[in-house]
Amino acid sequence: MSSIEKIALFIDGSNLYATSKALGFDIDYRRLLGEFQGRGRLLRAFYYTTVIEDQEYSSIRPLIDWLDYNGYTVVKKLTKEFVDATTGRRKVKGSMDVDLAVNAMELAGQVDQIVLFSGDGDFRSLVEALQRHGVRVTVVSTLSTQPPMVADELRRQADVFIDLAELKPKVGRDPAERPGSRELRQPPQFLARGIINRGDRVE
């Protein structure tokens, strides 16, 4: 029996984006993948995001395409834009929380550790459920902002908490060093897809 820990990453895209922005740096997703590949056998890296319906161009599309060809399983959902009747403001309706939770529970019997990149307190019950299945859960967010980006109840429930600020030297990139289109078109470097069929993708 192998002693190498089996790991899966679950990235709440919008939450991680907001957290890294609050800390003043961009995530280098190639380096992030390498960092966790070095911590065990990385079975899958999920990235969850929403895309606004009927929007001809979204600034996140180049990132989604790059992730999809470079070892990440991108799970995306179309959201609907609407006008709030009470405030008159345009709002976007759509959440990936349920999709992330379902995928995490499906994978619980096949991994030793799940790394959750989110500070959303709604995930506390998911973390608790995964722990009941014998999975260790690491939460990545930050306490280094005012107010903190991680909910206290989520941080307390996690087996391990990693402050994203501490990971900056390993996975960060200055916003001025954003990759150009040439890097986004680099040949794909696939992560071993392992145990979940590609059919899990939400189009």
Side-chain angles (χ1 to χ4, degrees):
M1 188 171 164
S2 173
S3 61
I4 298 174
E5 193 169 58
K6 290 178 284 187
I7 303 171
L9 308 184
F10 285 81
I11 300 171
D12 176 348
S14 61
N15 195 285
L16 179 58
Y17 175 82
T19 302
S20 66
K21 281 284 164 266
L23 292 170
F25 69 93
D26 284 346
I27 299 293
D28 183 326
Y29 286 96
R30 189 189 303 279
R31 294 176 70 198
L32 186 147
L33 205 60
E35 171 64 20
F36 285 90
Q37 283 172 330
R39 296 187 181 206
R41 183 180 167 212
L42 186 57
L43 296 183
R44 188 61 65 92
F46 288 97
Y47 182 92
Y48 296 83
T49 188
T50 53
V51 179
I52 297 175
E53 194 175 45
D54 301 328
Q55 193 174 61
E56 283 188 24
Y57 176 77
S58 169
S59 59
I60 199 172
R61 284 199 187 278
L63 173 62
I64 291 173
D65 291 343
W66 186 91
L67 292 172
D68 207 23
Y69 281 100
N70 285 273
Y72 289 84
T73 298
V74 176
V75 183
K76 58 184 182 283
K77 180 190 286 184
L78 291 176
T79 62
K80 295 189 182 295
E81 215 174 12
F82 68 100
V83 176
D84 187 299
T86 53
T87 64
R89 291 183 178 172
R90 296 179 73 78
K91 289 191 174 181
V92 175
K93 185 178 183 181
S95 170
M96 299 300 295
D97 291 6
V98 173
D99 305 73
L100 188 155
V102 168
N103 289 157
M105 290 307 298
E106 287 174 341
L107 207 59
Q110 299 165 69
V111 295
D112 302 303
Q113 181 186 177
I114 279 177
V115 183
L116 174 64
F117 289 80
S118 182
D120 190 338
D122 290 345
F123 286 127
R124 191 208 63 79
S125 57
L126 167 64
V127 173
E128 188 179 29
L130 289 166
Q131 290 166 334
R132 286 198 300 269
H133 282 76
V135 178
R136 288 193 316 111
V137 182
T138 295
V139 166
V140 180
S141 185
T142 191
L143 289 165
S144 303
T145 54
Q146 286 300 327
M149 297 292 285
V150 63
D152 190 57
E153 62 271 23
L154 178 65
R155 181 179 62 84
R156 289 174 181 273
Q157 187 67 47
D159 294 291
V160 177
F161 173 73
I162 298 176
D163 198 304
L164 187 62
E166 295 171 14
L167 283 178
K168 180 179 178 180
K170 296 178 178 179
V171 305
R173 177 177 59 221
D174 188 288
E177 298 170 12
R178 281 193 183 133
S181 58
R182 194 173 77 184
E183 182 178 333
L184 293 171
R185 289 197 301 267
Q186 281 183 347
Q189 297 177 346
F190 293 104
L191 178 67
R193 290 295 177 187
I195 48 184
I196 294 185
N197 292 328
R198 201 60 180 162
D200 292 333
R201 276 180 57 190
V202 176
E203 296 293 351

